[in-house]
Amino acid sequence: MELNFKEIFTAFMILFAVIDIVGNIPIIIDLRKKVGHIQSGKASIIAGIIMIIFLFVGKSLLSLIGVDVNSFAVAGAFVIFFIALEMVLGITLYKDEEHNAVTASVFPLAFPLMAGPGTLTTLLSLRAEFAIENIIVAVISNVIVIFIVLKTSAKIERVIGANGIMIVRKVFGVILLAIAVKLFAHNIKALLA
């Protein structure tokens, strides 16, 4: 097992952009107001477990239904593209904002907000390009960032403000659009070869 820091950093940035924890701060703050308390540790750990399990089991599930990783990665590129459009244009396509006070830390926080369809699709797309140990390190790094952001969301909002959050979200949206195009181009070549 040899860790490649370039792969780890790239996978971390892709997952960070897809999870969009900074862009979700307004949703987190709203959820905190509605339910009173969010278990940041529980939400982060559950999101991490979902991501790592899907990283290992997702490929088997695909082969069980007869879909190869490149096809899934191309489909994932479309999902990531739409998530990026959501971020850049400020529209909502995926995120369900119906909240249940009893399970707020798990739903909608851990799933689908952090480990949602976009994140899971991205993980399998990354698996087609990067070594699995590098992706796991990137996932764990993102879980740590998620935990820190959940713990300090109110402070972050005060420091960078609503406009700052919107700017960060739009910048990561553009980065995500570029990643979606690269993912599509790389995997479509493999399918057509």
Side-chain angles (χ1 to χ4, degrees):
M1 183 174 95
E2 193 175 312
L3 295 178
N4 179 327
F5 291 103
K6 185 177 185 264
E7 279 192 12
I8 291 168
F9 181 74
T10 305
F12 172 81
M13 289 306 293
I14 292 169
L15 286 170
F16 184 78
V18 174
I19 294 167
D20 188 29
I21 192 67
V22 175
N24 284 322
I25 287 175
I27 297 169
I28 294 163
I29 289 166
D30 182 52
L31 189 62
R32 211 180 281 273
K33 285 176 188 163
K34 287 180 181 173
V35 300
H37 175 69
I38 291 172
Q39 295 172 312
S40 305
K42 182 179 180 183
S44 305
I45 289 167
I46 289 172
I49 289 169
I50 291 170
M51 287 187 265
I52 289 172
I53 287 174
F54 195 79
L55 185 63
F56 285 100
V57 180
K59 193 174 181 181
S60 304
L61 284 173
L62 287 179
S63 57
L64 189 67
I65 57 172
V67 177
D68 64 285
V69 175
N70 292 113
S71 299
F72 194 80
V74 168
F78 284 114
V79 173
I80 295 167
F81 180 81
F82 288 118
I83 290 171
L85 280 181
E86 180 183 80
M87 292 166 70
V88 172
L89 301 176
I91 56 175
T92 301
L93 299 172
Y94 297 113
K95 295 181 179 96
D96 180 9
E97 294 182 31
E98 295 291 318
H99 308 302
N100 182 331
V102 180
T103 59
S105 296
V106 178
F107 182 86
L109 214 49
F111 182 86
L113 213 55
M114 291 179 271
T119 307
L120 300 180
T121 303
T122 303
L123 284 168
L124 285 191
S125 302
L126 288 173
R127 188 166 177 176
E129 286 190 56
F130 300 135
I132 199 149
E133 62 268 15
N134 296 325
I135 300 169
I136 291 170
V137 173
V139 167
I140 292 168
S141 303
N142 266 289
V143 168
I144 292 166
V145 171
I146 288 167
F147 176 74
I148 292 167
V149 170
L150 287 176
K151 275 288 186 199
T152 61
S153 58
K155 290 177 189 166
I156 292 171
E157 189 191 39
R158 280 195 303 273
V159 170
I160 65 175
N163 288 337
I165 290 170
M166 286 304 286
I167 291 167
V168 169
R169 189 177 172 122
K170 291 196 186 304
V171 167
F172 275 103
V174 172
I175 292 168
L176 213 50
L177 276 172
I179 290 165
V181 170
K182 181 183 178 233
L183 208 56
F184 178 82
H186 176 79
N187 286 286
I188 203 79
K189 267 192 255 173
L191 281 174
L192 298 175

